[in-house]
PDB file of all heavy atoms in Angstrom:
ATOM      1  N   LEU A   1     -17.310  33.117 158.283  1.00 92.00           N
ATOM      2  CA  LEU A   1     -16.999  31.796 158.858  1.00 92.00           C
ATOM      3  C   LEU A   1     -17.879  30.836 158.080  1.00 92.00           C
ATOM      4  O   LEU A   1     -17.517  29.657 157.699  1.00 92.00           O
ATOM      5  CB  LEU A   1     -17.351  31.784 160.348  1.00 92.00           C
ATOM      6  CG  LEU A   1     -17.260  30.385 160.995  1.00 92.00           C
ATOM      7  CD1 LEU A   1     -15.790  29.897 161.010  1.00 92.00           C
ATOM      8  CD2 LEU A   1     -17.900  30.409 162.288  1.00 92.00           C
ATOM      9  N   LEU A   2     -19.198  31.147 157.742  1.00 93.00           N
ATOM     10  CA  LEU A   2     -20.135  30.226 157.156  1.00 93.00           C
ATOM     11  C   LEU A   2     -20.048  30.270 155.634  1.00 93.00           C
ATOM     12  O   LEU A   2     -20.887  29.528 155.017  1.00 93.00           O
ATOM     13  CB  LEU A   2     -21.467  30.510 157.676  1.00 93.00           C
ATOM     14  CG  LEU A   2     -21.700  30.464 159.200  1.00 93.00           C
ATOM     15  CD1 LEU A   2     -23.099  30.754 159.575  1.00 93.00           C
ATOM     16  CD2 LEU A   2     -21.286  29.057 159.675  1.00 93.00           C
ATOM     17  N   GLY A   3     -19.242  31.127 154.980  1.00 90.00           N
ATOM     18  CA  GLY A   3     -19.025  30.954 153.592  1.00 90.00           C
ATOM     19  C   GLY A   3     -19.663  31.983 152.738  1.00 90.00           C
ATOM     20  O   GLY A   3     -19.717  31.722 151.483  1.00 90.00           O
ATOM     21  N   ALA A   4     -20.203  33.100 153.274  1.00 93.00           N
ATOM     22  CA  ALA A   4     -20.810  34.037 152.363  1.00 93.00           C
ATOM     23  C   ALA A   4     -19.744  34.767 151.537  1.00 93.00           C
ATOM     24  O   ALA A   4     -18.583  34.897 151.938  1.00 93.00           O
ATOM     25  CB  ALA A   4     -21.491  35.109 153.135  1.00 93.00           C
ATOM     26  N   ASP A   5     -20.157  35.217 150.315  1.00 91.00           N
ATOM     27  CA  ASP A   5     -19.109  35.821 149.454  1.00 91.00           C
ATOM     28  C   ASP A   5     -18.967  37.296 149.931  1.00 91.00           C
ATOM     29  O   ASP A   5     -17.847  37.883 149.653  1.00 91.00           O
ATOM     30  CB  ASP A   5     -19.643  35.826 148.064  1.00 91.00           C
ATOM     31  CG  ASP A   5     -19.594  34.361 147.459  1.00 91.00           C
ATOM     32  OD1 ASP A   5     -18.537  34.014 147.079  1.00 91.00           O
ATOM     33  OD2 ASP A   5     -20.656  33.733 147.417  1.00 91.00           O
ATOM     34  N   ALA A   6     -19.945  37.836 150.513  1.00 92.00           N
ATOM     35  CA  ALA A   6     -19.740  39.235 151.098  1.00 92.00           C
ATOM     36  C   ALA A   6     -20.790  39.476 152.164  1.00 92.00           C
ATOM     37  O   ALA A   6     -21.696  38.627 152.340  1.00 92.00           O
ATOM     38  CB  ALA A   6     -20.033  40.229 149.964  1.00 92.00           C
ATOM     39  N   TRP A   7     -20.657  40.579 152.856  1.00 94.00           N
ATOM     40  CA  TRP A   7     -21.608  40.834 153.991  1.00 94.00           C
ATOM     41  C   TRP A   7     -21.726  42.355 154.083  1.00 94.00           C
ATOM     42  O   TRP A   7     -20.899  43.150 153.656  1.00 94.00           O
ATOM     43  CB  TRP A   7     -21.006  40.382 155.307  1.00 94.00           C
ATOM     44  CG  TRP A   7     -21.656  40.784 156.550  1.00 94.00           C
ATOM     45  CD1 TRP A   7     -22.742  40.234 157.108  1.00 94.00           C
ATOM     46  CD2 TRP A   7     -21.374  41.961 157.358  1.00 94.00           C
ATOM     47  NE1 TRP A   7     -23.214  41.008 158.153  1.00 94.00           N
ATOM     48  CE2 TRP A   7     -22.303  42.077 158.380  1.00 94.00           C
ATOM     49  CE3 TRP A   7     -20.344  42.965 157.248  1.00 94.00           C
ATOM     50  CZ2 TRP A   7     -22.290  43.082 159.392  1.00 94.00           C
ATOM     51  CZ3 TRP A   7     -20.283  43.975 158.202  1.00 94.00           C
ATOM     52  CH2 TRP A   7     -21.337  43.936 159.218  1.00 94.00           C
ATOM     53  N   ALA A   8     -22.973  42.736 154.475  1.00 94.00           N
ATOM     54  CA  ALA A   8     -23.247  44.185 154.619  1.00 94.00           C
ATOM     55  C   ALA A   8     -24.077  44.409 155.870  1.00 94.00           C
ATOM     56  O   ALA A   8     -24.887  43.589 156.235  1.00 94.00           O
ATOM     57  CB  ALA A   8     -23.874  44.777 153.413  1.00 94.00           C
ATOM     58  N   SER A   9     -23.815  45.403 156.608  1.00 93.00           N
ATOM     59  CA  SER A   9     -24.494  45.691 157.916  1.00 93.00           C
ATOM     60  C   SER A   9     -25.753  46.480 157.747  1.00 93.00           C
ATOM     61  O   SER A   9     -26.479  46.686 158.777  1.00 93.00           O
ATOM     62  CB  SER A   9     -23.583  46.485 158.851  1.00 93.00           C
ATOM     63  OG  SER A   9     -23.247  47.760 158.188  1.00 93.00           O
ATOM     64  N   SER A  10     -26.092  46.909 156.433  1.00 94.00           N
ATOM     65  CA  SER A  10     -27.372  47.672 156.363  1.00 94.00           C
ATOM     66  C   SER A  10     -27.845  47.511 154.969  1.00 94.00           C
ATOM     67  O   SER A  10     -27.063  47.134 154.087  1.00 94.00           O
ATOM     68  CB  SER A  10     -27.195  49.105 156.727  1.00 94.00           C
ATOM     69  OG  SER A  10     -26.340  49.769 155.785  1.00 94.00           O
ATOM     70  N   ALA A  11     -29.083  47.772 154.719  1.00 95.00           N
ATOM     71  CA  ALA A  11     -29.648  47.726 153.354  1.00 95.00           C
ATOM     72  C   ALA A  11     -28.918  48.626 152.427  1.00 95.00           C
ATOM     73  O   ALA A  11     -28.603  48.270 151.225  1.00 95.00           O
ATOM     74  CB  ALA A  11     -31.167  48.040 153.343  1.00 95.00           C
ATOM     75  N   ARG A  12     -28.647  49.817 152.937  1.00 95.00           N
ATOM     76  CA  ARG A  12     -27.898  50.814 152.017  1.00 95.00           C
ATOM     77  C   ARG A  12     -26.622  50.363 151.606  1.00 95.00           C
ATOM     78  O   ARG A  12     -26.166  50.375 150.513  1.00 95.00           O
ATOM     79  CB  ARG A  12     -27.866  52.163 152.734  1.00 95.00           C
ATOM     80  CG  ARG A  12     -27.267  53.250 151.897  1.00 95.00           C
ATOM     81  CD  ARG A  12     -27.370  54.629 152.517  1.00 95.00           C
ATOM     82  NE  ARG A  12     -28.671  55.306 152.220  1.00 95.00           N
ATOM     83  CZ  ARG A  12     -29.567  55.649 153.133  1.00 95.00           C
ATOM     84  NH1 ARG A  12     -29.268  55.539 154.396  1.00 95.00           N
ATOM     85  NH2 ARG A  12     -30.666  56.171 152.831  1.00 95.00           N
ATOM     86  N   LEU A  13     -25.828  49.782 152.642  1.00 95.00           N
ATOM     87  CA  LEU A  13     -24.549  49.315 152.370  1.00 95.00           C
ATOM     88  C   LEU A  13     -24.590  47.983 151.520  1.00 95.00           C
ATOM     89  O   LEU A  13     -23.639  47.732 150.627  1.00 95.00           O
ATOM     90  CB  LEU A  13     -23.755  49.042 153.648  1.00 95.00           C
ATOM     91  CG  LEU A  13     -23.370  50.272 154.398  1.00 95.00           C
ATOM     92  CD1 LEU A  13     -22.706  49.845 155.715  1.00 95.00           C
ATOM     93  CD2 LEU A  13     -22.392  51.135 153.654  1.00 95.00           C
ATOM     94  N   ALA A  14     -25.632  47.214 151.724  1.00 96.00           N
ATOM     95  CA  ALA A  14     -25.794  46.007 150.800  1.00 96.00           C
ATOM     96  C   ALA A  14     -25.967  46.419 149.360  1.00 96.00           C
ATOM     97  O   ALA A  14     -25.431  45.791 148.414  1.00 96.00           O
ATOM     98  CB  ALA A  14     -26.980  45.102 151.368  1.00 96.00           C
ATOM     99  N   ALA A  15     -26.830  47.383 149.187  1.00 96.00           N
ATOM    100  CA  ALA A  15     -27.029  47.918 147.825  1.00 96.00           C
ATOM    101  C   ALA A  15     -25.802  48.529 147.236  1.00 96.00           C
ATOM    102  O   ALA A  15     -25.472  48.241 146.072  1.00 96.00           O
ATOM    103  CB  ALA A  15     -28.174  48.981 147.818  1.00 96.00           C
ATOM    104  N   ASP A  16     -24.927  49.197 148.003  1.00 95.00           N
ATOM    105  CA  ASP A  16     -23.706  49.680 147.534  1.00 95.00           C
ATOM    106  C   ASP A  16     -22.850  48.617 147.126  1.00 95.00           C
ATOM    107  O   ASP A  16     -22.174  48.682 146.153  1.00 95.00           O
ATOM    108  CB  ASP A  16     -23.100  50.584 148.658  1.00 95.00           C
ATOM    109  CG  ASP A  16     -23.787  51.934 148.870  1.00 95.00           C
ATOM    110  OD1 ASP A  16     -24.620  52.285 147.995  1.00 95.00           O
ATOM    111  OD2 ASP A  16     -23.514  52.555 149.833  1.00 95.00           O
ATOM    112  N   ARG A  17     -22.786  47.541 147.986  1.00 93.00           N
ATOM    113  CA  ARG A  17     -21.864  46.522 147.658  1.00 93.00           C
ATOM    114  C   ARG A  17     -22.284  45.727 146.424  1.00 93.00           C
ATOM    115  O   ARG A  17     -21.437  45.412 145.566  1.00 93.00           O
ATOM    116  CB  ARG A  17     -21.883  45.446 148.867  1.00 93.00           C
ATOM    117  CG  ARG A  17     -20.980  44.244 148.750  1.00 93.00           C
ATOM    118  CD  ARG A  17     -19.523  44.619 148.645  1.00 93.00           C
ATOM    119  NE  ARG A  17     -19.079  45.146 150.051  1.00 93.00           N
ATOM    120  CZ  ARG A  17     -18.589  44.399 150.976  1.00 93.00           C
ATOM    121  NH1 ARG A  17     -18.573  43.159 150.902  1.00 93.00           N
ATOM    122  NH2 ARG A  17     -18.151  45.079 152.013  1.00 93.00           N
ATOM    123  N   LEU A  18     -23.514  45.606 146.167  1.00 94.00           N
ATOM    124  CA  LEU A  18     -23.992  44.990 144.886  1.00 94.00           C
ATOM    125  C   LEU A  18     -23.716  45.944 143.739  1.00 94.00           C
ATOM    126  O   LEU A  18     -23.391  45.318 142.602  1.00 94.00           O
ATOM    127  CB  LEU A  18     -25.469  44.573 144.956  1.00 94.00           C
ATOM    128  CG  LEU A  18     -25.803  43.363 145.882  1.00 94.00           C
ATOM    129  CD1 LEU A  18     -27.298  43.291 146.150  1.00 94.00           C
ATOM    130  CD2 LEU A  18     -25.294  42.103 145.296  1.00 94.00           C
ATOM    131  N   ASP A  19     -23.922  47.121 143.942  1.00 94.00           N
ATOM    132  CA  ASP A  19     -23.604  48.135 142.905  1.00 94.00           C
ATOM    133  C   ASP A  19     -22.072  48.006 142.367  1.00 94.00           C
ATOM    134  O   ASP A  19     -21.784  48.146 141.220  1.00 94.00           O
ATOM    135  CB  ASP A  19     -23.789  49.563 143.313  1.00 94.00           C
ATOM    136  CG  ASP A  19     -25.310  49.892 143.355  1.00 94.00           C
ATOM    137  OD1 ASP A  19     -26.110  49.193 142.787  1.00 94.00           O
ATOM    138  OD2 ASP A  19     -25.656  50.920 144.004  1.00 94.00           O
ATOM    139  N   ARG A  20     -21.238  47.724 143.325  1.00 92.00           N
ATOM    140  CA  ARG A  20     -19.765  47.586 142.992  1.00 92.00           C
ATOM    141  C   ARG A  20     -19.398  46.252 142.510  1.00 92.00           C
ATOM    142  O   ARG A  20     -18.306  46.062 141.966  1.00 92.00           O
ATOM    143  CB  ARG A  20     -18.980  47.964 144.214  1.00 92.00           C
ATOM    144  CG  ARG A  20     -19.137  49.380 144.773  1.00 92.00           C
ATOM    145  CD  ARG A  20     -18.022  49.730 145.765  1.00 92.00           C
ATOM    146  NE  ARG A  20     -17.930  48.763 146.921  1.00 92.00           N
ATOM    147  CZ  ARG A  20     -18.523  48.866 148.014  1.00 92.00           C
ATOM    148  NH1 ARG A  20     -19.295  49.939 148.218  1.00 92.00           N
ATOM    149  NH2 ARG A  20     -18.303  47.944 148.997  1.00 92.00           N
ATOM    150  N   GLY A  21     -20.280  45.224 142.739  1.00 88.00           N
ATOM    151  CA  GLY A  21     -19.965  43.857 142.587  1.00 88.00           C
ATOM    152  C   GLY A  21     -19.478  43.262 143.763  1.00 88.00           C
ATOM    153  O   GLY A  21     -18.968  43.929 144.662  1.00 88.00           O
ATOM    154  N   LEU A  22     -19.648  41.909 143.923  1.00 83.00           N
ATOM    155  CA  LEU A  22     -19.285  41.317 145.158  1.00 83.00           C
ATOM    156  C   LEU A  22     -17.799  40.959 145.240  1.00 83.00           C
ATOM    157  O   LEU A  22     -17.355  40.066 144.614  1.00 83.00           O
ATOM    158  CB  LEU A  22     -20.172  40.019 145.354  1.00 83.00           C
ATOM    159  CG  LEU A  22     -21.656  40.214 145.500  1.00 83.00           C
ATOM    160  CD1 LEU A  22     -22.328  38.890 145.737  1.00 83.00           C
ATOM    161  CD2 LEU A  22     -21.975  41.230 146.521  1.00 83.00           C
ATOM    162  N   PRO A  23     -17.059  41.718 146.082  1.00 73.00           N
ATOM    163  CA  PRO A  23     -15.605  41.251 146.317  1.00 73.00           C
ATOM    164  C   PRO A  23     -15.627  40.046 147.134  1.00 73.00           C
ATOM    165  O   PRO A  23     -16.274  40.074 148.232  1.00 73.00           O
ATOM    166  CB  PRO A  23     -15.021  42.498 147.012  1.00 73.00           C
ATOM    167  CG  PRO A  23     -16.167  43.072 147.632  1.00 73.00           C
ATOM    168  CD  PRO A  23     -17.432  42.884 146.791  1.00 73.00           C
ATOM    169  N   PRO A  24     -15.095  38.986 146.731  1.00 70.00           N
ATOM    170  CA  PRO A  24     -15.355  37.594 147.498  1.00 70.00           C
ATOM    171  C   PRO A  24     -14.529  37.557 148.737  1.00 70.00           C
ATOM    172  O   PRO A  24     -13.426  38.184 148.845  1.00 70.00           O
ATOM    173  CB  PRO A  24     -14.933  36.629 146.414  1.00 70.00           C
ATOM    174  CG  PRO A  24     -13.891  37.249 145.607  1.00 70.00           C
ATOM    175  CD  PRO A  24     -14.359  38.733 145.522  1.00 70.00           C
ATOM    176  N   PHE A  25     -15.001  36.888 149.736  1.00 71.00           N
ATOM    177  CA  PHE A  25     -14.384  36.311 150.834  1.00 71.00           C
ATOM    178  C   PHE A  25     -13.431  35.141 150.267  1.00 71.00           C
ATOM    179  O   PHE A  25     -13.499  34.828 149.050  1.00 71.00           O
ATOM    180  CB  PHE A  25     -15.238  35.823 151.955  1.00 71.00           C
ATOM    181  CG  PHE A  25     -15.985  36.935 152.603  1.00 71.00           C
ATOM    182  CD1 PHE A  25     -17.237  36.702 153.154  1.00 71.00           C
ATOM    183  CD2 PHE A  25     -15.332  38.164 152.879  1.00 71.00           C
ATOM    184  CE1 PHE A  25     -17.881  37.640 153.852  1.00 71.00           C
ATOM    185  CE2 PHE A  25     -16.044  39.177 153.642  1.00 71.00           C
ATOM    186  CZ  PHE A  25     -17.303  38.897 154.043  1.00 71.00           C
ATOM    187  N   PRO A  26     -12.568  34.607 151.065  1.00 65.00           N
ATOM    188  CA  PRO A  26     -11.759  33.540 150.620  1.00 65.00           C
ATOM    189  C   PRO A  26     -12.774  32.485 150.038  1.00 65.00           C
ATOM    190  O   PRO A  26     -13.861  32.114 150.620  1.00 65.00           O
ATOM    191  CB  PRO A  26     -11.192  32.950 151.916  1.00 65.00           C
ATOM    192  CG  PRO A  26     -10.983  34.216 152.772  1.00 65.00           C
ATOM    193  CD  PRO A  26     -12.162  35.093 152.445  1.00 65.00           C
ATOM    194  N   PRO A  27     -12.338  31.812 148.809  1.00 68.00           N
ATOM    195  CA  PRO A  27     -13.338  31.061 148.127  1.00 68.00           C
ATOM    196  C   PRO A  27     -13.867  29.788 148.852  1.00 68.00           C
ATOM    197  O   PRO A  27     -14.906  29.361 148.601  1.00 68.00           O
ATOM    198  CB  PRO A  27     -12.489  30.589 146.907  1.00 68.00           C
ATOM    199  CG  PRO A  27     -11.095  30.873 147.287  1.00 68.00           C
ATOM    200  CD  PRO A  27     -11.062  32.060 148.197  1.00 68.00           C
ATOM    201  N   GLN A  28     -13.047  29.300 149.800  1.00 66.00           N
ATOM    202  CA  GLN A  28     -13.450  28.115 150.561  1.00 66.00           C
ATOM    203  C   GLN A  28     -13.439  28.424 151.980  1.00 66.00           C
ATOM    204  O   GLN A  28     -12.413  28.628 152.499  1.00 66.00           O
ATOM    205  CB  GLN A  28     -12.454  26.923 150.266  1.00 66.00           C
ATOM    206  CG  GLN A  28     -13.052  25.547 150.617  1.00 66.00           C
ATOM    207  CD  GLN A  28     -14.336  25.135 149.835  1.00 66.00           C
ATOM    208  OE1 GLN A  28     -14.437  25.519 148.646  1.00 66.00           O
ATOM    209  NE2 GLN A  28     -15.209  24.550 150.562  1.00 66.00           N
ATOM    210  N   PRO A  29     -14.655  28.455 152.586  1.00 66.00           N
ATOM    211  CA  PRO A  29     -14.689  28.798 154.068  1.00 66.00           C
ATOM    212  C   PRO A  29     -13.985  27.723 154.815  1.00 66.00           C
ATOM    213  O   PRO A  29     -13.839  26.619 154.531  1.00 66.00           O
ATOM    214  CB  PRO A  29     -16.161  28.746 154.347  1.00 66.00           C
ATOM    215  CG  PRO A  29     -16.761  27.961 153.329  1.00 66.00           C
ATOM    216  CD  PRO A  29     -16.000  28.120 152.104  1.00 66.00           C
ATOM    217  N   ALA A  30     -13.381  28.258 156.010  1.00 69.00           N
ATOM    218  CA  ALA A  30     -12.745  27.273 156.917  1.00 69.00           C
ATOM    219  C   ALA A  30     -13.647  26.179 157.341  1.00 69.00           C
ATOM    220  O   ALA A  30     -14.917  26.490 157.709  1.00 69.00           O
ATOM    221  CB  ALA A  30     -12.089  28.078 158.105  1.00 69.00           C
ATOM    222  N   ALA A  31     -13.147  25.015 157.603  1.00 79.00           N
ATOM    223  CA  ALA A  31     -13.970  23.930 158.155  1.00 79.00           C
ATOM    224  C   ALA A  31     -14.235  24.327 159.652  1.00 79.00           C
ATOM    225  O   ALA A  31     -13.463  24.846 160.364  1.00 79.00           O
ATOM    226  CB  ALA A  31     -13.154  22.638 158.111  1.00 79.00           C
ATOM    227  N   LEU A  32     -15.480  24.039 160.106  1.00 91.00           N
ATOM    228  CA  LEU A  32     -15.890  24.210 161.409  1.00 91.00           C
ATOM    229  C   LEU A  32     -15.435  23.098 162.356  1.00 91.00           C
ATOM    230  O   LEU A  32     -16.135  22.265 162.828  1.00 91.00           O
ATOM    231  CB  LEU A  32     -17.367  24.353 161.609  1.00 91.00           C
ATOM    232  CG  LEU A  32     -18.028  25.411 160.663  1.00 91.00           C
ATOM    233  CD1 LEU A  32     -19.536  25.571 160.958  1.00 91.00           C
ATOM    234  CD2 LEU A  32     -17.381  26.782 160.876  1.00 91.00           C
ATOM    235  N   GLU A  33     -14.037  23.134 162.562  1.00 92.00           N
ATOM    236  CA  GLU A  33     -13.437  22.004 163.227  1.00 92.00           C
ATOM    237  C   GLU A  33     -13.802  21.878 164.673  1.00 92.00           C
ATOM    238  O   GLU A  33     -13.806  20.809 165.268  1.00 92.00           O
ATOM    239  CB  GLU A  33     -11.890  22.169 163.209  1.00 92.00           C
ATOM    240  CG  GLU A  33     -11.316  21.994 161.758  1.00 92.00           C
ATOM    241  CD  GLU A  33      -9.852  22.304 161.643  1.00 92.00           C
ATOM    242  OE1 GLU A  33      -9.266  22.550 162.831  1.00 92.00           O
ATOM    243  OE2 GLU A  33      -9.276  22.104 160.609  1.00 92.00           O
ATOM    244  N   HIS A  34     -14.323  22.947 165.278  1.00 94.00           N
ATOM    245  CA  HIS A  34     -14.762  22.922 166.665  1.00 94.00           C
ATOM    246  C   HIS A  34     -15.951  22.031 166.882  1.00 94.00           C
ATOM    247  O   HIS A  34     -16.272  21.523 168.000  1.00 94.00           O
ATOM    248  CB  HIS A  34     -14.994  24.337 167.202  1.00 94.00           C
ATOM    249  CG  HIS A  34     -15.950  25.008 166.306  1.00 94.00           C
ATOM    250  ND1 HIS A  34     -15.601  25.876 165.288  1.00 94.00           N
ATOM    251  CD2 HIS A  34     -17.391  25.141 166.394  1.00 94.00           C
ATOM    252  CE1 HIS A  34     -16.689  26.389 164.646  1.00 94.00           C
ATOM    253  NE2 HIS A  34     -17.757  25.927 165.363  1.00 94.00           N
ATOM    254  N   LEU A  35     -16.723  21.828 165.811  1.00 95.00           N
ATOM    255  CA  LEU A  35     -17.890  20.944 165.955  1.00 95.00           C
ATOM    256  C   LEU A  35     -17.521  19.503 166.196  1.00 95.00           C
ATOM    257  O   LEU A  35     -18.446  18.657 166.528  1.00 95.00           O
ATOM    258  CB  LEU A  35     -18.840  21.066 164.626  1.00 95.00           C
ATOM    259  CG  LEU A  35     -19.400  22.431 164.310  1.00 95.00           C
ATOM    260  CD1 LEU A  35     -20.174  22.455 163.068  1.00 95.00           C
ATOM    261  CD2 LEU A  35     -20.229  22.901 165.520  1.00 95.00           C
ATOM    262  N   ALA A  36     -16.308  19.172 166.019  1.00 94.00           N
ATOM    263  CA  ALA A  36     -15.940  17.723 166.166  1.00 94.00           C
ATOM    264  C   ALA A  36     -15.999  17.309 167.737  1.00 94.00           C
ATOM    265  O   ALA A  36     -16.156  16.101 167.961  1.00 94.00           O
ATOM    266  CB  ALA A  36     -14.416  17.516 165.819  1.00 94.00           C
ATOM    267  N   ASP A  37     -16.103  18.302 168.656  1.00 95.00           N
ATOM    268  CA  ASP A  37     -16.348  17.935 170.034  1.00 95.00           C
ATOM    269  C   ASP A  37     -17.693  17.404 170.379  1.00 95.00           C
ATOM    270  O   ASP A  37     -17.977  16.909 171.457  1.00 95.00           O
ATOM    271  CB  ASP A  37     -15.960  19.008 171.020  1.00 95.00           C
ATOM    272  CG  ASP A  37     -16.753  20.375 170.804  1.00 95.00           C
ATOM    273  OD1 ASP A  37     -17.855  20.220 170.129  1.00 95.00           O
ATOM    274  OD2 ASP A  37     -16.315  21.407 171.366  1.00 95.00           O
ATOM    275  N   GLY A  38     -18.588  17.614 169.423  1.00 96.00           N
ATOM    276  CA  GLY A  38     -19.896  17.031 169.609  1.00 96.00           C
ATOM    277  C   GLY A  38     -20.839  17.815 170.549  1.00 96.00           C
ATOM    278  O   GLY A  38     -22.113  17.435 170.743  1.00 96.00           O
ATOM    279  N   GLU A  39     -20.487  19.057 171.050  1.00 97.00           N
ATOM    280  CA  GLU A  39     -21.265  19.737 171.980  1.00 97.00           C
ATOM    281  C   GLU A  39     -22.468  20.407 171.206  1.00 97.00           C
ATOM    282  O   GLU A  39     -23.559  20.351 171.814  1.00 97.00           O
ATOM    283  CB  GLU A  39     -20.452  20.920 172.674  1.00 97.00           C
ATOM    284  CG  GLU A  39     -19.305  20.382 173.561  1.00 97.00           C
ATOM    285  CD  GLU A  39     -18.808  21.342 174.485  1.00 97.00           C
ATOM    286  OE1 GLU A  39     -19.529  22.369 174.807  1.00 97.00           O
ATOM    287  OE2 GLU A  39     -17.556  21.214 174.951  1.00 97.00           O
ATOM    288  N   TYR A  40     -22.272  20.945 170.070  1.00 97.00           N
ATOM    289  CA  TYR A  40     -23.464  21.503 169.331  1.00 97.00           C
ATOM    290  C   TYR A  40     -24.496  20.324 169.086  1.00 97.00           C
ATOM    291  O   TYR A  40     -25.670  20.435 169.175  1.00 97.00           O
ATOM    292  CB  TYR A  40     -23.006  22.177 168.128  1.00 97.00           C
ATOM    293  CG  TYR A  40     -24.257  22.499 167.226  1.00 97.00           C
ATOM    294  CD1 TYR A  40     -25.148  23.417 167.510  1.00 97.00           C
ATOM    295  CD2 TYR A  40     -24.483  21.672 166.125  1.00 97.00           C
ATOM    296  CE1 TYR A  40     -26.177  23.654 166.749  1.00 97.00           C
ATOM    297  CE2 TYR A  40     -25.587  21.855 165.347  1.00 97.00           C
ATOM    298  CZ  TYR A  40     -26.418  22.854 165.637  1.00 97.00           C
ATOM    299  OH  TYR A  40     -27.605  23.020 164.884  1.00 97.00           O
ATOM    300  N   THR A  41     -23.987  19.241 168.620  1.00 96.00           N
ATOM    301  CA  THR A  41     -24.769  18.140 168.152  1.00 96.00           C
ATOM    302  C   THR A  41     -25.673  17.685 169.317  1.00 96.00           C
ATOM    303  O   THR A  41     -26.895  17.318 169.274  1.00 96.00           O
ATOM    304  CB  THR A  41     -23.960  17.029 167.579  1.00 96.00           C
ATOM    305  OG1 THR A  41     -23.233  17.506 166.501  1.00 96.00           O
ATOM    306  CG2 THR A  41     -24.885  15.867 167.055  1.00 96.00           C
TER     307      THR A  41
END
């Protein structure tokens, strides 16, 4: 949601992911449209 190119749940899996190269998430993360309601702000 926040635009990372990849994610891993542990250090070992993170190292494995980097070893393989980072398979990207969608290049442009979705806009956080829910923030328009002003509740977080």
Side-chain angles (χ1 to χ4, degrees):
L1 176 71
L2 300 181
D5 292 281
W7 170 83
S9 60
S10 69
R12 184 170 276 126
L13 291 176
D16 291 345
R17 181 64 66 89
L18 287 168
D19 285 345
R20 298 194 305 269
L22 294 184
F25 287 148
Q28 196 61 34
L32 304 185
E33 296 177 355
H34 54 271
L35 295 180
D37 63 15
E39 293 195 26
Y40 166 77
T41 302

